[in-house]
């Protein structure tokens, strides 16, 4: 037995060691990750972010170098108070900021780099670079920052900003301090514009000194530059639209019907995209986002969702024809409205009566469309069946759902169907008279300006549209088929002609006859939307929104447009004028009707927008007076 | 000529093969741990790996010398060798050179010699010589005290020179004494004392006393033959409680702060996370770096000269006491298991041969060799893997250093020589 003590001890110790090694190296070993290894520092080389051009090749967004002061907290050697003071002076921060930022970075990670002072100016960088060696643990990271070549299109172009925790969790490519597209095309085309950053692995020693490339650089990668993109926007048209929208709130969306390309996408009020570049970005960003009254970051062209009003009538006309419940020559009489028995379901304005489809559209007769709509709903014994068919037709115009395109924001709008009313009223406990508001685009129907522009494009195309999109070309890449394959409506091509004629006559003899453009055949439709706000919990009506939908020329249209002006009162008053000017600007390249243009430039709605906040009772619609901008001088 | 050839083949080639493997593998790891930048010349003596190559070369000269001497020489001159070693240790107090607070080096030109590395084989020889004397009986207290004195003298001298790690190694001789007839009770006492010490530190004196009382009393009441009275049991219990107090007092007042901290970290005594963090920063830096390096090696390791932590010199003293972390990082689980298996195989082989010796001197010496290697291997590797509190002793044949390599080479090859001679014993 005495012989065995040492032998067994030796074997036992050997086994214990093997188990321990197994635990350390196999069971508990974080499989070697080059980025986690404290002996290696990854240095990033950020590629050029792709440029953004407009459809005519005009450069909109380029880059400028940006210099971030980064910190790796555990490598920071404690500084004397006087040294901290010097350093803070160079960085333009206070000594308190210094401590706060350092604590924050340490809390994030003592050994990973955190941005300390982002986006220095070039001048600051030049000074700082000379003395950087004095401050161990700090280094300057070069990145590429945006340089806007224009001050328009903030909502289209979007911006880039420091990546957030959520984005880092979603994609491990991003490290703290990286920039990422936050809005607009910067967001939707982030992957393409960004490129791929290059990595250089540096072997460090215990004292954190560089001792050369790790494994002779065999894991290092070169940065891949981001690809340039061309967007569908016509920057001149966009700029003109933004000019027209000054002193108003609203949105303009213009689409090329033959391709679905978005020519202009205006929202008002907007801001200068240069505000969101550089060190002032965060301050400006929160100022813009906190402005809940003007909401400059809310894209009214894409997100404002309202009952579209009269423009929607043409959809009912098309559905009526497709369902065979009405003929173009069917006439309906109008007695300043539509009566159900002795009850007036909807009013109308003064015009000759009875009207056929053409006049119904051009005169925008409410009674005509209630008749058509009731025939559609009453076609089947179960109104639910009829309404489901109706909704299917309406939705085939891209209404009532997200457009599924490449814009970073959007709203679905709403097209109610039979099931919707079954839920609201109970199964079969409703009929056409309950829901006649839909006949004239009021009631439950809601749409965004881009949906209305797309609807106009589908009508102009006589039955199909391309999903409206912002991307025209990606450097050495093709566009997704979603944007190149036409989407057909459920309406036969033949039914469009009479409707298009009706919309043409809106300009010829109807509600927009004053807005004709010499030499261009426009088809359009005016609209108004009643709207309400809650003031001290009282539902209060405001002046109607002014809406206009149009396309031109009548045959093979090159532009379809929707204009929406908040509290602009009636359709042709603001929206119609602006649509007419936009169409002329796009087709002719210039505007000839300077008095019309001046009217828009000199009329502001800002007083109108102040009313709900004034705390005083106010008047709306016909009882208001328009505000004139005096001494208006058109900027060159 | 014929006789010569026959004798050469009597050397145990398994031991020699394991030795060669360990020294070669050790050299490769020293190369990895010590090189800075490109390796321009393997013989660059301004670099540690260049020096180690010379040490290895000289160790082969030593081997030839040791193997060519008569086997009887070692037994005959054991006492004189021991005396010379003791004198060398004493001489340190006068001529020694301080390195890292330990006065355990002679400086000869640019070379340094550490006599404590040579005192081990000298002591092993002396112990073998004393025990193998036919008049010696390890069961008598007189001989126990005398043999204890043989190991106590060098151990004390080394301790006085502030090299606590090397002192602990002398405890290895307990295995030798036990094999040679030391009573069972010593083993029980040693194990009980270790257990008591750990329990006292971990759970405090009261709980330890209670456990001791329960164990002793249950033993008293469950025993079959009533040979001893309850008084004796109570006396043992009192001694145990006294020892428990003593350990606690010694821990609190007898140890230096860094020694306290090492034990505290090992037994996880500190509960305050803030203090623990400070303690880790102060004491466990090497250990944490070493464990991380080993852990990062994974199954197959990062490859020779490819360890990021080794290249970055993250583990201090990596070419000496922490050399095993280089193995762990660059050769992974496979390489480190290989080293563990080599050491265990070496120890087992020596013990197997020792038991086969016809001369008691050779057997005792063989046991001494195996015990010393076992203690070094256990403490060093255990420490590097974080199983044992930090104690600074080298890994035999692996760690950088001439004295260490030569000391172990002499230790081992005297046994190889003795073993080869077993046929000529009569
Ligand atoms: Zn009418």
């Amino acid at each position: 037995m005495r012989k065995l003590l040492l032998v067994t001890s030796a074997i036992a110790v050997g086994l214990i060691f093997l188990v321990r090694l197994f635990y350390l190296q196999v069971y508990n070993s974080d499989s070697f990750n080059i980025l986690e290894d404290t002996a290696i520092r990854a240095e990033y080389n950020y590629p050029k972010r792709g440029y953004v051009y407009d459809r005519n090749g005009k450069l909109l967004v380029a880059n400028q170098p940006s210099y971030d002061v980064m910190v790796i907290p555990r490598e920071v050697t404690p500084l004397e108070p006087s040294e901290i003071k010097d350093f803070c002076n160079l960085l333009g921060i206070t000594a308190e900021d210094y401590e706060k930022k350092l604590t924050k970075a340490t809390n994030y990670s003592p050994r990973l780099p955190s941005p300390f002072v982002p986006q220095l100016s070039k001048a600051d960088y030049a000074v700082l670079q000379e003395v950087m060696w004095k401050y161990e643990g700090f280094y300057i990271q070069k990145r590429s920052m945006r340089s806007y070549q224009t001050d328009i299109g903030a909502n289209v172009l979007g911006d880039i900003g420091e990546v957030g925790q959520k984005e880092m969790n979603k994609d491990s490519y991003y490290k703290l301090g990286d920039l990422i597209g936050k809005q607009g095309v910067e967001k939707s085309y982030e992957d393409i514009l960004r490129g791929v950053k290059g990595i250089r692995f540096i072997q460090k020693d215990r004292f954190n000194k560089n001792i050369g490339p790790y494994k002779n650089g065999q894991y290092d990668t070169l940065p891949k530059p981001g690809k340039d993109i061309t967007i569908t926007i016509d920057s001149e048209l966009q700029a003109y639209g933004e000019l027209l929208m000054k002193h108003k709130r609203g949105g303009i969306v213009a689409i090329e019907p033959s391709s679905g390309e978005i020519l202009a996408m205006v929202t008002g009020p907007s801001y200068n995209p240069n505000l969101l570049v550089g060190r002032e970005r965060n301050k400006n960003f929160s100022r813009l986002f906190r402005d809940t009254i003007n909401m400059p970051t809310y894209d009214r062209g894409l997100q404002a969702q309202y009952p579209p009003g009269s423009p929607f009538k043409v959809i009912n006309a098309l559905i009526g024809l497709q369902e065979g419940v009405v003929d173009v020559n069917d006439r309906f009489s109008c007695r300043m409205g539509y009566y159900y028995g002795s009850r007036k379901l909807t009013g109308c304005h003064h015009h000759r009566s009875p009207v056929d489809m053409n006049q119904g559209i051009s005169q925008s007769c409410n009674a005509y469309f209630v008749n058509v709509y009731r025939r559609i709903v009453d076609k089947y014994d179960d109104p639910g069946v009829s309404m489901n068919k109706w909704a299917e037709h309406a939705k085939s115009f891209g209404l009532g759902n997200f457009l599924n395109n490449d814009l970073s924001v959007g709203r679905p709008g709403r097209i109610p169907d039979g099931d919707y009313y079954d839920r609201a009223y109970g199964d079969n406990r409703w009929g056409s008279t309950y829901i006649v508001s839909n006949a004239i685009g009021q009631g439950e129907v809601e749409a965004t300006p881009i949906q209305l522009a797309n609807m106009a494009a589908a009508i102009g195309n006589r039955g199909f549209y391309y999903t409206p999109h912002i991307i025209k070309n990606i450097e050495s890449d093709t566009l997704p088929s979603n944007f190149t394959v036409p989407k057909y409506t459920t309406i036969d091509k033949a039914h469009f002609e009479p409707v298009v004629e009706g919309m043409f006559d809106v300009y010829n003899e109807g509600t927009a006859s004053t807005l004709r453009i010499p030499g261009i055949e426009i088809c359009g439709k005016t609209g108004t939307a009643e709207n309400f706000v809650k003031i001290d919990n009282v539902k209060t009506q405001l002046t109607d929104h002014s809406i206009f939908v149009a396309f031109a020329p009548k045959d093979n249209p090159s532009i379809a447009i929707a204009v929406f002006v908040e509290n602009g009162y009636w359709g042709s008053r603001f929206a119609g004028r602006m649509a007419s000017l936009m169409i002329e600007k796009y087709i002719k390249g210039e505007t000839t009707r300077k008095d019309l243009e001046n009217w828009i430039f000199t009329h502001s709605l800002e007083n109108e927008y102040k009313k709900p906040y004034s705390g005083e009772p106010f008047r709306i619609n016909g009882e208001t007076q328009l505000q004139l901008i005096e001494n208006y001088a058109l900027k060159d | 000529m014929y006789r010569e050839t026959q004798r050469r083949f009597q050397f145990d080639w398994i031991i020699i093969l394991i030795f060669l493997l360990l020294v070669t593998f050790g050299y490769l790891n020293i190369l990895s741990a010590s090189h800075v930048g490109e390796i321009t010349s393997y013989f660059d003596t301004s670099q540690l790996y260049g020096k180690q190559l010379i040490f290895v070369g000289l160790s082969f000269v030593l081997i030839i010398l040791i193997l060519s001497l008569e086997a009887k020489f070692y037994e005959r001159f054991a006492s004189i060798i021991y005396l010379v070693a003791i004198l060398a240790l004493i001489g340190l107090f006068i001529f020694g050179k301080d390195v890292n607070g330990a006065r355990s080096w002679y400086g000869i030109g640019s070379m340094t010699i550490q006599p404590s590395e040579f005192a081990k084989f000298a002591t092993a020889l002396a112990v073998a010589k004393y025990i193998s004397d036919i008049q010696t009986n390890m069961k008598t207290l007189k001989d126990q005290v005398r043999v204890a004195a043989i190991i106590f003298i060098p151990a004390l001298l080394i301790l006085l020179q502030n090299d606590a790690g090397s002192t602990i190694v002398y405890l290895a001789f307990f295995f030798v004494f036990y094999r040679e007839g030391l009573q069972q009770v010593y083993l029980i006492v040693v194990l009980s004392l270790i257990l008591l010490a750990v329990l006292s530190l971990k759970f405090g004196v009261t709980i330890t006393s209670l456990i001791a009382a329960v164990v002793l009393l249950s033993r008293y009441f469950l025993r079959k033959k009533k040979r001893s009275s309850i008084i004796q049991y109570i006396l043992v219990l009192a001694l145990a409680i006294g020892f428990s107090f003593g350990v606690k007092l010694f821990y609190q007042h007898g140890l230096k702060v860094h020694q306290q901290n090492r034990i505290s970290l090992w037994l996880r005594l500190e509960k305050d996370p803030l203090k623990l963090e400070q303690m880790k920063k102060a004491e466990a830096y090497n250990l944490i770096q070493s464990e991380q390096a080993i852990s990062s090696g994974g199954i197959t390791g990062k490859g020779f000269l490819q360890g990021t932590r080794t290249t970055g010199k993250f583990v201090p003293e990596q070419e000496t006491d922490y050399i095993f972390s280089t193995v762990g990082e660059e050769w992974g689980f496979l390489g480190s298991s290989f080293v563990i298996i080599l050491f265990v195989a070496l120890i087992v082989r020596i013990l197997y041969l020792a038991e086969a010796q016809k001369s008691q001197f050779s057997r005792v010496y063989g046991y001494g060799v195996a015990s010393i290697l076992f203690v070094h291997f256990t403490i060093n590797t255990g420490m590097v893997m974080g199983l044992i509190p930090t104690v600074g002793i080298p890994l035999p044949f692996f760690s950088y250093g001439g004295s260490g390599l030569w000391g172990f080479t002499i230790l081992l090859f005297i046994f190889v020589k003795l073993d080869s001679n077993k046929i000529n014993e009569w």
Side-chain angles (χ1 to χ4, degrees):
Chain A
M1 277 312 286
R2 288 174 177 275
K3 295 176 189 174
L4 292 180
L5 178 67
L6 188 52
V7 179
T8 38
S9 302
I11 293 170
V13 164
L15 288 176
I16 291 170
F17 285 0
L18 290 181
V19 169
R20 174 70 175 169
L21 280 174
F22 185 84
Y23 171 77
L24 283 176
Q25 299 187 298
V26 182
Y27 177 75
N28 210 19
S29 176
D30 4 276
S31 53
F32 177 61
N33 181 341
I34 198 166
L35 291 174
E36 297 290 318
D37 195 325
T38 43
I40 298 167
R41 182 199 275 174
E43 283 191 357
Y44 294 105
N45 188 348
Y46 287 87
K48 161 219 161 205
R49 195 172 172 91
Y51 286 9
V52 181
Y53 295 92
D54 92 335
R55 66 185 295 114
N56 300 316
K58 185 173 178 265
L59 180 62
L60 299 178
V61 189
N63 296 318
Q64 52 187 318
S66 142
Y67 306 93
D68 293 357
V69 176
M70 304 288 288
V71 65
I72 300 176
R74 76 177 182 136
E75 297 176 10
V76 174
T77 45
L79 297 172
E80 298 287 315
S82 66
E83 289 175 309
I84 293 182
K85 212 179 136 197
D86 290 346
F87 193 37
C88 289
N89 280 342
L90 288 169
L91 294 172
I93 59 173
T94 66
E96 277 166 34
D97 288 342
Y98 176 87
E99 293 300 333
K100 235 188 276 168
K101 282 166 185 284
L102 201 55
T103 313
K104 195 178 150 207
T106 314
N107 289 343
Y108 167 68
S109 164
R111 60 176 195 81
L112 291 179
S114 292
F116 194 70
V117 176
Q119 302 184 328
L120 298 174
S121 72
K122 222 170 175 172
D124 286 346
Y125 165 71
V127 178
L128 206 55
Q129 198 196 18
E130 299 290 311
V131 293
M132 211 55 200
W133 58 270
K134 283 193 212 166
Y135 309 105
E136 265 178 74
F138 295 90
Y139 67 97
I140 297 178
Q141 172 74 58
K142 193 178 164 208
R143 295 177 206 278
S144 157
M145 177 164 88
R146 281 314 205 185
S147 161
Y148 292 97
Q149 309 295 304
T150 174
D151 49 15
I152 57 143
N155 61 318
V156 178
L157 304 171
D159 65 315
I160 55 176
E162 240 176 75
V163 69
Q165 191 57 51
K166 264 192 207 151
E167 292 154 327
M168 283 192 280
N169 294 346
K170 227 166 48 190
D171 186 347
S172 62
Y173 172 88
Y174 296 100
K175 303 276 173 263
L176 199 69
D178 281 3
L179 300 172
I180 188 173
K182 293 285 189 184
Q183 305 179 87
V185 292
E186 298 282 14
K187 184 175 180 185
S188 19
Y189 288 97
E190 164 70 14
D191 290 350
I192 285 158
L193 291 169
R194 172 188 86 190
V196 180
K197 62 190 165 193
I199 306 184
R200 226 154 58 89
F201 292 105
I202 310 273
Q203 170 81 53
K204 313 283 285 186
D205 70 4
R206 166 150 62 111
F207 308 105
N208 209 9
K209 222 170 58 201
N210 283 3
I211 51 173
Y214 172 64
K215 286 205 181 179
N216 294 318
Q218 72 179 87
Y219 296 109
D220 297 1
T221 52
L222 285 172
K224 259 195 225 137
K227 291 177 181 173
D228 294 346
I229 62 171
T230 301
I231 56 173
T232 58
I233 293 293
D234 179 319
S235 59
E236 270 188 47
L237 187 65
Q238 174 81 19
Y240 186 65
E242 292 190 12
L243 197 60
L244 294 176
M245 195 52 88
K246 279 229 163 94
H247 309 293
K248 295 137 205 115
R249 290 185 197 161
I252 304 172
V253 176
I255 296 171
E256 182 178 70
S258 61
S259 63
E261 292 173 1
I262 298 169
L263 301 169
M265 203 169 88
V266 175
T267 182
S270 190
Y271 56 92
N272 187 329
N274 291 294
L275 285 176
L276 296 187
V277 178
R279 279 180 91 170
E280 300 295 302
R281 180 186 185 276
N282 284 344
K283 210 169 73 190
N284 290 331
F285 188 78
S286 49
R287 186 172 59 76
L288 291 170
F289 259 84
R290 270 196 236 116
D291 184 354
T292 51
I293 293 172
N294 292 309
M295 298 197 290
T297 57
Y298 171 71
D299 193 326
R300 288 164 167 84
L302 305 179
Q303 293 171 289
Q305 180 174 293
Y306 283 102
S310 303
F312 190 73
K313 288 173 180 167
V314 294
I315 296 295
N316 279 324
L318 288 166
I319 297 172
L321 291 172
Q322 181 70 26
E323 286 293 309
V325 293
V326 69
D327 185 87
V328 285
N329 298 316
D330 288 352
R331 289 166 167 262
F332 299 100
S333 58
C334 173
R335 295 178 286 138
M336 291 287 280
Y338 180 89
Y339 289 83
Y340 180 63
S342 61
R343 193 152 63 90
K344 189 177 182 178
L345 286 187
T346 175
C348 196
H349 56 97
H350 180 75
H351 60 86
R352 68 175 178 233
S353 172
V355 289
D356 60 10
M357 180 172 283
N358 185 292
Q359 291 155 346
I361 293 171
S362 63
Q363 298 303 325
S364 201
C365 176
N366 289 347
Y368 177 87
F369 284 99
V370 172
N371 277 297
V372 173
Y373 182 69
R374 288 199 62 200
R375 286 192 181 183
I376 298 168
V377 180
D378 295 338
K379 180 178 177 185
Y380 300 97
D381 290 340
D382 180 354
V385 174
S386 310
M387 273 305 285
N388 282 344
K389 282 214 143 198
W390 175 85
E392 192 193 319
H393 288 306
K395 284 182 175 174
S396 75
F397 285 82
L399 299 168
N401 213 334
F402 288 105
L403 283 166
N404 190 23
N405 59 10
D406 56 351
L407 302 169
S408 62
V409 292
R411 296 289 301 155
R414 181 167 60 223
I415 296 295
D417 57 11
D419 305 333
Y420 177 91
Y421 291 111
D422 279 344
R423 277 197 303 274
Y425 294 106
D427 233 346
N428 282 320
R429 301 188 57 177
W430 54 278
S432 58
T433 54
Y434 284 61
I435 54 174
V436 290
S437 300
N438 291 332
I440 56 171
Q442 307 272 347
E444 283 71 42
V445 180
E446 287 186 354
T448 59
I450 190 171
Q451 285 177 326
L452 295 179
N454 184 49
M455 179 189 92
I459 297 167
N461 286 338
R462 276 66 165 174
F464 66 89
Y465 68 89
Y466 293 91
T467 299
H469 54 275
I470 197 81
I471 193 75
K472 187 162 173 63
N473 187 36
I474 301 170
E475 189 184 350
S476 61
D477 213 337
T478 51
L479 294 188
S481 63
N482 183 32
F483 301 150
T484 54
V485 174
K487 304 198 167 48
Y488 285 91
T489 64
T490 51
I491 310 294
D492 294 344
K493 195 176 176 205
H495 297 313
F496 281 91
E497 230 35 71
V499 171
V500 168
E501 285 303 328
M503 289 176 78
F504 179 55
D505 285 342
V506 168
Y507 275 89
N508 265 346
E509 49 202 54
T511 48
S513 49
T514 55
L515 300 174
R516 268 175 287 189
I517 308 169
I520 302 175
E521 292 187 320
I522 315 186
C523 304
K525 193 74 200 76
T526 56
T528 53
E530 290 185 345
N531 63 101
F532 303 86
V533 288
K534 273 198 169 155
I535 301 176
D536 300 333
N537 270 325
V538 182
K539 189 179 174 188
T540 312
Q541 186 170 12
L542 301 179
T543 300
D544 296 344
H545 294 326
S546 168
I547 299 169
F548 203 92
V549 171
F551 61 86
K554 189 171 86 177
D555 297 311
N556 300 316
S558 58
I559 182 171
I561 192 168
V563 181
F564 159 81
V565 177
E566 285 184 18
N567 312 118
Y569 194 9
W570 71 86
S572 56
R573 190 203 207 185
F574 278 95
R577 283 177 164 117
M578 286 156 74
S580 176
L581 288 166
M582 287 288 282
I583 290 168
E584 187 182 23
K585 173 81 179 173
Y586 181 66
I587 293 179
K588 290 189 180 167
E590 55 174 0
T591 49
T592 52
R593 295 159 296 162
K594 292 297 168 192
D595 50 341
L596 186 67
E597 196 175 73
N598 262 321
W599 190 93
I600 291 291
F601 291 153
T602 53
H603 286 81
S604 166
L605 287 168
E606 274 163 1
N607 279 352
E608 200 63 37
Y609 302 133
K610 285 182 194 142
K611 283 178 186 173
Y613 302 97
S614 64
E616 288 162 26
F618 54 86
R619 295 159 188 275
I620 59 164
N621 288 348
E623 299 169 350
T624 60
Q625 272 204 320
L626 266 179
Q627 178 191 359
L628 274 173
I629 300 168
E630 281 163 30
N631 305 325
Y632 181 84
L634 187 59
K635 268 190 290 178
D636 196 17
Chain B
M1 270 315 282
Y2 175 68
R3 257 182 72 117
E4 282 297 315
T5 330
Q6 195 188 24
R7 274 183 66 175
R8 198 181 322 143
F9 277 95
Q10 282 157 2
F11 298 134
D12 187 65
W13 288 101
I14 295 178
I15 290 186
I16 294 173
L17 179 70
I18 294 176
F19 167 80
L20 290 174
L21 284 172
L22 287 174
V23 168
T24 313
F25 201 33
Y27 165 73
L28 291 178
N29 282 288
I30 288 168
L31 181 67
S32 198
S34 65
H35 86 90
V36 178
E38 291 284 298
I39 295 164
T40 44
S41 161
Y42 292 101
F43 301 101
D44 182 352
T45 52
S46 68
Q47 301 289 333
L48 295 184
Y49 56 83
K51 286 184 185 161
Q52 184 72 8
L53 202 57
I54 291 170
F55 298 151
V56 171
L58 285 174
S59 75
F60 284 101
V61 176
L62 278 174
I63 290 168
I64 293 167
L65 204 69
I66 291 163
L67 295 184
S68 53
L69 281 171
E70 276 296 316
K72 277 285 162 200
F73 170 85
Y74 302 105
E75 187 170 357
R76 209 166 290 146
F77 287 88
S79 311
I80 292 169
I81 294 170
Y82 177 72
L83 265 174
V84 170
I86 297 295
L87 288 174
L89 285 174
I90 294 171
L92 281 175
F93 290 106
I94 307 155
F95 306 108
K97 198 172 129 184
D98 277 335
V99 177
N100 298 330
R103 200 178 178 84
S104 41
W105 303 83
Y106 282 117
I108 303 163
S110 65
M111 287 253 299
T112 51
I113 292 278
Q114 192 178 10
S116 64
E117 292 296 344
F118 300 96
K120 287 170 207 164
F121 85 85
T123 311
L125 282 174
V127 166
K129 170 101 175 173
Y130 187 85
I131 292 179
S132 61
D133 192 311
I134 35 169
Q135 289 179 356
T136 304
N137 180 357
M138 278 305 283
K139 293 217 187 301
T140 64
L141 189 63
K142 182 193 83 182
D143 284 330
Q144 285 169 4
V145 170
R146 287 190 181 172
V147 85
I150 295 175
I151 63 162
F152 185 73
I153 293 167
L156 181 71
L157 290 170
I158 292 166
L159 185 65
L160 290 174
Q161 284 148 16
N162 240 343
D163 187 358
S166 296
T167 312
I168 292 175
V169 174
Y170 287 85
L171 295 176
F173 286 99
F174 176 80
F175 289 107
V176 182
F177 303 158
Y178 183 70
R179 167 65 184 86
E180 296 304 325
L182 199 66
Q183 286 89 337
Q184 194 90 39
V185 70
Y186 284 96
L187 181 65
I188 295 168
V189 168
V190 167
L191 291 178
S192 308
L193 290 181
I194 294 173
L195 194 64
L196 273 176
V198 170
L199 286 176
S200 311
L201 292 174
K202 183 77 188 169
F203 302 111
V205 176
T206 321
I207 292 179
T208 309
S209 306
L210 280 173
I211 294 172
V214 169
V215 170
L216 282 168
L217 289 178
S218 55
R219 200 179 138 73
Y220 173 76
F221 289 113
L222 293 175
R223 74 206 158 134
K224 286 179 186 135
K225 295 177 201 160
K226 306 209 184 273
R227 272 192 307 207
S228 45
S229 69
I230 184 87
I231 310 287
Q232 276 170 301
Y233 276 88
I234 290 172
L235 202 68
V236 171
L237 180 59
L239 282 173
I241 294 172
F243 177 74
S244 180
F245 261 114
V247 166
K248 196 84 190 174
L249 280 175
F250 182 69
Y251 171 74
Q252 281 162 352
H253 304 290
L255 288 179
K256 296 183 178 123
V257 178
H258 74 268
Q259 290 168 327
Q260 253 178 26
N261 287 347
R262 285 171 184 182
I263 290 172
S264 170
L265 280 172
W266 178 53
L267 290 175
R268 301 191 167 78
L269 299 180
E270 185 56 65
K271 295 282 178 272
D272 181 352
L274 217 76
K275 278 190 192 161
L276 186 68
E277 205 50 46
Q278 282 177 337
M279 206 181 269
K280 275 189 179 168
K281 252 184 202 159
E283 289 303 324
Y285 177 81
N286 288 25
L287 179 63
I288 290 166
Q289 290 299 337
S290 148
E291 265 185 54
Q292 278 182 2
I294 293 173
S295 191
S296 72
I299 294 174
T300 53
K302 296 175 192 169
F304 179 48
L305 297 178
Q306 303 294 334
T308 53
R309 289 157 182 289
T310 298
T311 314
K313 308 265 175 289
F314 276 73
V315 188
E317 299 167 33
Q318 195 174 21
E319 64 283 338
T320 56
D321 291 354
Y322 284 88
I323 191 68
F324 191 72
S325 66
T326 310
V327 184
E329 186 184 19
E330 298 197 341
W331 303 87
F333 179 67
L334 297 178
S336 8
S337 304
F338 178 62
V339 172
I340 301 284
I341 290 166
L342 279 184
F343 271 107
V344 173
L346 179 64
I347 292 164
V348 170
R349 180 68 188 169
I350 293 169
L351 289 173
Y352 172 78
L353 292 177
E355 291 294 347
Q357 299 300 316
K358 297 208 166 57
S359 109
Q360 200 191 3
F361 176 80
S362 304
R363 181 179 76 207
V364 176
Y365 182 76
Y367 251 83
V369 175
S371 306
I372 290 170
L373 290 178
F374 171 71
V375 169
H376 266 274
F377 162 69
T378 305
I379 292 182
N380 178 281
T381 320
M383 162 188 84
V384 173
M385 288 193 279
L387 289 173
I388 286 177
T390 310
V391 176
I393 61 172
L395 185 61
F397 312 115
F398 246 77
S399 292
Y400 168 81
S403 302
L405 179 61
W406 295 333
F408 286 115
T409 305
I410 296 168
L411 181 76
L412 183 65
F413 276 88
I414 288 178
F415 179 68
V416 171
K417 179 68 191 177
L418 292 177
D419 171 62
S420 71
N421 204 44
K422 62 180 180 259
I423 290 164
N424 306 336
E425 287 289 298
W426 276 291

